[in-house]
Amino acid sequence: MRGPTYAGRVSHEEVRVSADIGALSLRVAEAAATIINDAVNSRGRCAVALSGGGTPKALYTLLASRFRDAIPWTRVHVFWADERYVPAGDARSNYTMAKEALLDHVACPAENIHPMPTTFPLAEDAAREYERVLRGYFGADVPRFDLIFLGLGEDGHTASLFPQSPALAEQACTVVAVSAPATPSTRLTLTMPVLTRAAHIHVLVAGANKASALGQVLSATADPTLFPAARLRSAEGTLTWWVDEDAAGSSSVILG
Ligand code: 6PG
């Protein structure tokens, strides 16, 4: 395994490289358990936003098994960073993936689980409804999640904020509907002001197919319009890139 931590451009940003997705997931689960317990101990509850894709499945499975009793699930509120606009139960649904891998196996009360709605005829109306849900929990200010899990696409997208999307410039809305160059194309996503306000952002990046995007995103000159995940580097809280050796590749993963 490579050295675990590289010096960051800013003190709260770091890259942590693990041998493989299993080791990576274990370290993220340990870090998440600490963050969740700290939030519950200091504020009585913890707001976590989940992502979809294949990478976090091993993490969710660990949180539901080995770490199940290390987390005060009754105090955890679960939200989503993004959602594909498909019905709950659809195999492509981020909610369904998290439900099956994690939420069905822990004592998180149903009223603490806040999936992005996908039943409105117009996805834009679903986005407005989720903004209402966020205001109900966070109040009128821009939501400040205790912890957000994100992924990285091969094209540099994160959540459902894709390269050159007008959604990248969104400042007023906390949730928007987007048409993504991916399947399914209609999606809901938290916007950058929400992502970057989180107390802790954990980005999970595994696989050789992510090495090129990761190198771009971590370079000092990355253009966030072309590589949206680079915008996370203006995070207010801590930003941790959890990377496996394949994604780190032969290129340097030292922060630029
Ligand atoms: C989604 C996402 C998305 C994902 C990346 C990485 O709903 O698709 O939340 O941003 O995290 O595309 O996906 P993989 O983990 O499958 O590579």
Side-chain angles (χ1 to χ4, degrees), residues 178-200:
V178 297
S179 178
T183 306
S185 64
T186 303
R187 294 167 178 229
L188 302 176
T189 186
L190 301 182
T191 55
M192 274 298 172
V194 182
L195 298 183
T196 55
R197 186 140 202 264
H200 302 280

PDB file of all heavy atoms in Angstrom, residues 178-200:
ATOM      1  N   VAL A 178     -31.655  17.704 -13.708  1.00  0.00           N
ATOM      2  CA  VAL A 178     -30.707  17.854 -14.818  1.00  0.00           C
ATOM      3  C   VAL A 178     -30.980  16.791 -15.879  1.00  0.00           C
ATOM      4  O   VAL A 178     -31.582  15.749 -15.593  1.00  0.00           O
ATOM      5  CB  VAL A 178     -29.237  17.717 -14.353  1.00  0.00           C
ATOM      6  CG1 VAL A 178     -28.873  18.821 -13.373  1.00  0.00           C
ATOM      7  CG2 VAL A 178     -28.962  16.347 -13.762  1.00  0.00           C
ATOM      8  N   SER A 179     -30.520  17.096 -17.074  1.00  0.00           N
ATOM      9  CA  SER A 179     -30.503  16.106 -18.141  1.00  0.00           C
ATOM     10  C   SER A 179     -29.043  15.725 -18.327  1.00  0.00           C
ATOM     11  O   SER A 179     -28.240  16.536 -18.791  1.00  0.00           O
ATOM     12  CB  SER A 179     -31.089  16.703 -19.417  1.00  0.00           C
ATOM     13  OG  SER A 179     -31.032  15.751 -20.444  1.00  0.00           O
ATOM     14  N   ALA A 180     -28.688  14.515 -17.919  1.00  0.00           N
ATOM     15  CA  ALA A 180     -27.281  14.115 -17.870  1.00  0.00           C
ATOM     16  C   ALA A 180     -26.895  13.304 -19.103  1.00  0.00           C
ATOM     17  O   ALA A 180     -27.733  12.590 -19.661  1.00  0.00           O
ATOM     18  CB  ALA A 180     -27.031  13.270 -16.619  1.00  0.00           C
ATOM     19  N   PRO A 181     -25.628  13.385 -19.515  1.00  0.00           N
ATOM     20  CA  PRO A 181     -25.148  12.534 -20.611  1.00  0.00           C
ATOM     21  C   PRO A 181     -24.851  11.128 -20.085  1.00  0.00           C
ATOM     22  O   PRO A 181     -23.738  10.629 -20.162  1.00  0.00           O
ATOM     23  CB  PRO A 181     -23.882  13.261 -21.066  1.00  0.00           C
ATOM     24  CG  PRO A 181     -23.385  13.939 -19.831  1.00  0.00           C
ATOM     25  CD  PRO A 181     -24.599  14.309 -19.023  1.00  0.00           C
ATOM     26  N   ALA A 182     -25.849  10.531 -19.462  1.00  0.00           N
ATOM     27  CA  ALA A 182     -25.709   9.210 -18.841  1.00  0.00           C
ATOM     28  C   ALA A 182     -27.095   8.579 -18.823  1.00  0.00           C
ATOM     29  O   ALA A 182     -28.090   9.259 -19.083  1.00  0.00           O
ATOM     30  CB  ALA A 182     -25.162   9.350 -17.418  1.00  0.00           C
ATOM     31  N   THR A 183     -27.159   7.323 -18.508  1.00  0.00           N
ATOM     32  CA  THR A 183     -28.441   6.625 -18.458  1.00  0.00           C
ATOM     33  C   THR A 183     -28.760   6.245 -17.020  1.00  0.00           C
ATOM     34  O   THR A 183     -27.899   5.652 -16.363  1.00  0.00           O
ATOM     35  CB  THR A 183     -28.393   5.340 -19.310  1.00  0.00           C
ATOM     36  OG1 THR A 183     -27.960   5.705 -20.624  1.00  0.00           O
ATOM     37  CG2 THR A 183     -29.754   4.685 -19.392  1.00  0.00           C
ATOM     38  N   PRO A 184     -29.959   6.538 -16.514  1.00  0.00           N
ATOM     39  CA  PRO A 184     -30.987   7.366 -17.142  1.00  0.00           C
ATOM     40  C   PRO A 184     -30.578   8.835 -17.127  1.00  0.00           C
ATOM     41  O   PRO A 184     -29.847   9.266 -16.244  1.00  0.00           O
ATOM     42  CB  PRO A 184     -32.211   7.116 -16.258  1.00  0.00           C
ATOM     43  CG  PRO A 184     -31.641   6.795 -14.919  1.00  0.00           C
ATOM     44  CD  PRO A 184     -30.353   6.076 -15.167  1.00  0.00           C
ATOM     45  N   SER A 185     -31.077   9.590 -18.093  1.00  0.00           N
ATOM     46  CA  SER A 185     -30.566  10.954 -18.247  1.00  0.00           C
ATOM     47  C   SER A 185     -31.200  11.930 -17.269  1.00  0.00           C
ATOM     48  O   SER A 185     -30.536  12.860 -16.814  1.00  0.00           O
ATOM     49  CB  SER A 185     -30.739  11.422 -19.682  1.00  0.00           C
ATOM     50  OG  SER A 185     -32.105  11.500 -19.992  1.00  0.00           O
ATOM     51  N   THR A 186     -32.467  11.728 -16.935  1.00  0.00           N
ATOM     52  CA  THR A 186     -33.099  12.679 -16.020  1.00  0.00           C
ATOM     53  C   THR A 186     -32.710  12.333 -14.590  1.00  0.00           C
ATOM     54  O   THR A 186     -32.862  11.195 -14.142  1.00  0.00           O
ATOM     55  CB  THR A 186     -34.627  12.657 -16.172  1.00  0.00           C
ATOM     56  OG1 THR A 186     -34.955  12.934 -17.526  1.00  0.00           O
ATOM     57  CG2 THR A 186     -35.292  13.686 -15.268  1.00  0.00           C
ATOM     58  N   ARG A 187     -32.190  13.335 -13.887  1.00  0.00           N
ATOM     59  CA  ARG A 187     -31.691  13.107 -12.530  1.00  0.00           C
ATOM     60  C   ARG A 187     -31.968  14.333 -11.668  1.00  0.00           C
ATOM     61  O   ARG A 187     -32.167  15.438 -12.183  1.00  0.00           O
ATOM     62  CB  ARG A 187     -30.172  12.860 -12.561  1.00  0.00           C
ATOM     63  CG  ARG A 187     -29.819  11.577 -13.269  1.00  0.00           C
ATOM     64  CD  ARG A 187     -28.354  11.494 -13.566  1.00  0.00           C
ATOM     65  NE  ARG A 187     -28.071  10.214 -14.218  1.00  0.00           N
ATOM     66  CZ  ARG A 187     -27.110   9.377 -13.859  1.00  0.00           C
ATOM     67  NH1 ARG A 187     -26.293   9.684 -12.875  1.00  0.00           N
ATOM     68  NH2 ARG A 187     -26.932   8.236 -14.490  1.00  0.00           N
ATOM     69  N   LEU A 188     -31.939  14.110 -10.377  1.00  0.00           N
ATOM     70  CA  LEU A 188     -31.978  15.197  -9.396  1.00  0.00           C
ATOM     71  C   LEU A 188     -30.615  15.244  -8.734  1.00  0.00           C
ATOM     72  O   LEU A 188     -29.990  14.199  -8.509  1.00  0.00           O
ATOM     73  CB  LEU A 188     -33.047  14.931  -8.337  1.00  0.00           C
ATOM     74  CG  LEU A 188     -34.480  14.741  -8.832  1.00  0.00           C
ATOM     75  CD1 LEU A 188     -35.393  14.386  -7.662  1.00  0.00           C
ATOM     76  CD2 LEU A 188     -34.989  15.995  -9.538  1.00  0.00           C
ATOM     77  N   THR A 189     -30.180  16.430  -8.386  1.00  0.00           N
ATOM     78  CA  THR A 189     -28.876  16.527  -7.724  1.00  0.00           C
ATOM     79  C   THR A 189     -28.834  17.710  -6.774  1.00  0.00           C
ATOM     80  O   THR A 189     -29.454  18.747  -7.033  1.00  0.00           O
ATOM     81  CB  THR A 189     -27.740  16.647  -8.768  1.00  0.00           C
ATOM     82  OG1 THR A 189     -26.469  16.604  -8.100  1.00  0.00           O
ATOM     83  CG2 THR A 189     -27.830  17.931  -9.574  1.00  0.00           C
ATOM     84  N   LEU A 190     -28.135  17.544  -5.660  1.00  0.00           N
ATOM     85  CA  LEU A 190     -27.768  18.690  -4.848  1.00  0.00           C
ATOM     86  C   LEU A 190     -26.843  19.568  -5.682  1.00  0.00           C
ATOM     87  O   LEU A 190     -26.116  19.070  -6.543  1.00  0.00           O
ATOM     88  CB  LEU A 190     -27.050  18.247  -3.569  1.00  0.00           C
ATOM     89  CG  LEU A 190     -27.812  17.315  -2.617  1.00  0.00           C
ATOM     90  CD1 LEU A 190     -26.962  17.025  -1.374  1.00  0.00           C
ATOM     91  CD2 LEU A 190     -29.163  17.901  -2.207  1.00  0.00           C
ATOM     92  N   THR A 191     -26.853  20.852  -5.407  1.00  0.00           N
ATOM     93  CA  THR A 191     -26.005  21.762  -6.171  1.00  0.00           C
ATOM     94  C   THR A 191     -24.688  22.000  -5.427  1.00  0.00           C
ATOM     95  O   THR A 191     -24.535  21.654  -4.259  1.00  0.00           O
ATOM     96  CB  THR A 191     -26.744  23.088  -6.408  1.00  0.00           C
ATOM     97  OG1 THR A 191     -27.155  23.616  -5.144  1.00  0.00           O
ATOM     98  CG2 THR A 191     -27.952  22.869  -7.308  1.00  0.00           C
ATOM     99  N   MET A 192     -23.748  22.629  -6.125  1.00  0.00           N
ATOM    100  CA  MET A 192     -22.413  22.830  -5.547  1.00  0.00           C
ATOM    101  C   MET A 192     -22.414  23.604  -4.230  1.00  0.00           C
ATOM    102  O   MET A 192     -21.664  23.246  -3.313  1.00  0.00           O
ATOM    103  CB  MET A 192     -21.485  23.507  -6.559  1.00  0.00           C
ATOM    104  CG  MET A 192     -20.804  22.566  -7.504  1.00  0.00           C
ATOM    105  SD  MET A 192     -19.709  21.378  -6.635  1.00  0.00           S
ATOM    106  CE  MET A 192     -19.284  20.315  -8.016  1.00  0.00           C
ATOM    107  N   PRO A 193     -23.242  24.661  -4.098  1.00  0.00           N
ATOM    108  CA  PRO A 193     -23.212  25.360  -2.803  1.00  0.00           C
ATOM    109  C   PRO A 193     -23.554  24.439  -1.630  1.00  0.00           C
ATOM    110  O   PRO A 193     -23.037  24.642  -0.521  1.00  0.00           O
ATOM    111  CB  PRO A 193     -24.271  26.461  -2.978  1.00  0.00           C
ATOM    112  CG  PRO A 193     -24.307  26.717  -4.453  1.00  0.00           C
ATOM    113  CD  PRO A 193     -24.088  25.371  -5.089  1.00  0.00           C
ATOM    114  N   VAL A 194     -24.389  23.438  -1.861  1.00  0.00           N
ATOM    115  CA  VAL A 194     -24.728  22.494  -0.789  1.00  0.00           C
ATOM    116  C   VAL A 194     -23.578  21.513  -0.575  1.00  0.00           C
ATOM    117  O   VAL A 194     -23.157  21.255   0.559  1.00  0.00           O
ATOM    118  CB  VAL A 194     -26.029  21.734  -1.116  1.00  0.00           C
ATOM    119  CG1 VAL A 194     -26.380  20.791   0.031  1.00  0.00           C
ATOM    120  CG2 VAL A 194     -27.164  22.697  -1.398  1.00  0.00           C
ATOM    121  N   LEU A 195     -23.066  20.966  -1.656  1.00  0.00           N
ATOM    122  CA  LEU A 195     -21.976  19.989  -1.509  1.00  0.00           C
ATOM    123  C   LEU A 195     -20.787  20.626  -0.791  1.00  0.00           C
ATOM    124  O   LEU A 195     -20.223  20.032   0.145  1.00  0.00           O
ATOM    125  CB  LEU A 195     -21.537  19.462  -2.882  1.00  0.00           C
ATOM    126  CG  LEU A 195     -22.594  18.711  -3.716  1.00  0.00           C
ATOM    127  CD1 LEU A 195     -21.958  18.199  -5.009  1.00  0.00           C
ATOM    128  CD2 LEU A 195     -23.226  17.568  -2.928  1.00  0.00           C
ATOM    129  N   THR A 196     -20.417  21.813  -1.205  1.00  0.00           N
ATOM    130  CA  THR A 196     -19.187  22.410  -0.660  1.00  0.00           C
ATOM    131  C   THR A 196     -19.375  22.957   0.756  1.00  0.00           C
ATOM    132  O   THR A 196     -18.411  23.306   1.413  1.00  0.00           O
ATOM    133  CB  THR A 196     -18.652  23.533  -1.575  1.00  0.00           C
ATOM    134  OG1 THR A 196     -19.685  24.495  -1.787  1.00  0.00           O
ATOM    135  CG2 THR A 196     -18.186  22.979  -2.905  1.00  0.00           C
ATOM    136  N   ARG A 197     -20.609  23.017   1.222  1.00  0.00           N
ATOM    137  CA  ARG A 197     -20.851  23.532   2.588  1.00  0.00           C
ATOM    138  C   ARG A 197     -20.758  22.425   3.640  1.00  0.00           C
ATOM    139  O   ARG A 197     -20.711  22.704   4.847  1.00  0.00           O
ATOM    140  CB  ARG A 197     -22.249  24.175   2.626  1.00  0.00           C
ATOM    141  CG  ARG A 197     -22.538  24.865   3.939  1.00  0.00           C
ATOM    142  CD  ARG A 197     -23.279  26.186   3.762  1.00  0.00           C
ATOM    143  NE  ARG A 197     -23.068  27.017   4.945  1.00  0.00           N
ATOM    144  CZ  ARG A 197     -23.921  27.085   5.960  1.00  0.00           C
ATOM    145  NH1 ARG A 197     -25.064  26.422   5.927  1.00  0.00           N
ATOM    146  NH2 ARG A 197     -23.650  27.847   7.006  1.00  0.00           N
ATOM    147  N   ALA A 198     -20.718  21.169   3.214  1.00  0.00           N
ATOM    148  CA  ALA A 198     -20.742  20.057   4.167  1.00  0.00           C
ATOM    149  C   ALA A 198     -19.570  20.122   5.140  1.00  0.00           C
ATOM    150  O   ALA A 198     -18.483  20.610   4.806  1.00  0.00           O
ATOM    151  CB  ALA A 198     -20.693  18.735   3.402  1.00  0.00           C
ATOM    152  N   ALA A 199     -19.805  19.605   6.334  1.00  0.00           N
ATOM    153  CA  ALA A 199     -18.715  19.540   7.318  1.00  0.00           C
ATOM    154  C   ALA A 199     -17.628  18.574   6.850  1.00  0.00           C
ATOM    155  O   ALA A 199     -16.438  18.827   7.040  1.00  0.00           O
ATOM    156  CB  ALA A 199     -19.265  19.117   8.672  1.00  0.00           C
ATOM    157  N   HIS A 200     -18.047  17.466   6.245  1.00  0.00           N
ATOM    158  CA  HIS A 200     -17.086  16.460   5.763  1.00  0.00           C
ATOM    159  C   HIS A 200     -17.571  15.904   4.422  1.00  0.00           C
ATOM    160  O   HIS A 200     -18.719  15.467   4.319  1.00  0.00           O
ATOM    161  CB  HIS A 200     -16.959  15.297   6.753  1.00  0.00           C
ATOM    162  CG  HIS A 200     -16.530  15.723   8.119  1.00  0.00           C
ATOM    163  ND1 HIS A 200     -15.216  15.991   8.443  1.00  0.00           N
ATOM    164  CD2 HIS A 200     -17.243  15.954   9.247  1.00  0.00           C
ATOM    165  CE1 HIS A 200     -15.131  16.361   9.719  1.00  0.00           C
ATOM    166  NE2 HIS A 200     -16.351  16.347  10.229  1.00  0.00           N
TER     167      HIS A 200
END
